[in-house]
Amino acid sequence: MKPAATVLAAAMSERDLHRAVTDMASAYGLLWWHDNDSRRNKSGLPDLLIVGRKAVWVELKAEKGRFRPAQKIWLAALAAAGHDVRVIRPSDLLGGKVQALMEEIR
C-alpha cells in the first residue's frame, strides 16, 4: 500500500469503515444486515452479514483494532461450521479487497 493510503487507513475509524462497506454493498445490490443495538445480544457475533450469491459474515476492525475473546470464538465457530467469514480493515477497503469481495458475491 502506498504511504498516503497507509496514513488514511490508520486514520479511518471502524464507524467510517462500516459506512463505506455497507454503502458499497448497497451499490452492488447486495443485502446486508447489522444489529443496530446489540446490547441485549450475546457478544462476539460479527458486525455484518452480506448476502448475494452467497452469504459472508464480516468482522470490521480499525487498522490496529484487536479482537475480543468472544469475537474470536464466534469467527472460529462460524468458519468451522462452513460459513464464509472475513475480517475487513481500512487497508482492505483502500487496497481493493472489499470491492473484489463485493464482485465475488454479487
Side-chain angles (χ1 to χ4, degrees), residues 4-55:
T6 301
V7 170
L8 288 173
M12 184 179 282
S13 70
E14 194 172 302
R15 176 178 283 186
D16 291 338
L17 178 61
H18 178 274
R19 170 144 318 164
V21 171
T22 55
D23 285 353
M24 189 180 290
S26 294
Y28 273 87
L30 301 169
L31 298 174
W32 59 270
W33 176 85
H34 169 75
D35 188 353
N36 290 315
D37 186 3
S38 61
R39 291 176 291 182
R40 288 187 234 158
N41 296 343
K42 197 167 191 171
S43 66
L45 193 66
D47 295 308
L48 296 172
L49 176 61
I50 303 175
V51 180
R53 286 191 311 244
K54 65 179 184 175

Side-chain angles (χ1 to χ4, degrees), residues 2 9 13 18 29 33-34 37 55 57-58 63 90 93 95 99 101:
K2 295 183 180 181
S13 70
H18 178 274
W33 176 85
H34 169 75
D37 186 3
W57 291 95
V58 175
E63 200 60 31
L93 176 68
Q99 183 176 351
L101 172 63

Side-chain angles (χ1 to χ4, degrees), residues 24 28 30 50-56 83-86 96-106:
M24 189 180 290
Y28 273 87
L30 301 169
I50 303 175
V51 180
R53 286 191 311 244
K54 65 179 184 175
V56 178
H83 291 258
D84 191 341
V85 178
R86 312 282 178 106
K97 289 182 181 178
V98 175
Q99 183 176 351
L101 172 63
M102 300 301 169
E103 291 174 1
E104 175 188 335
I105 65 176
R106 79 167 162 177

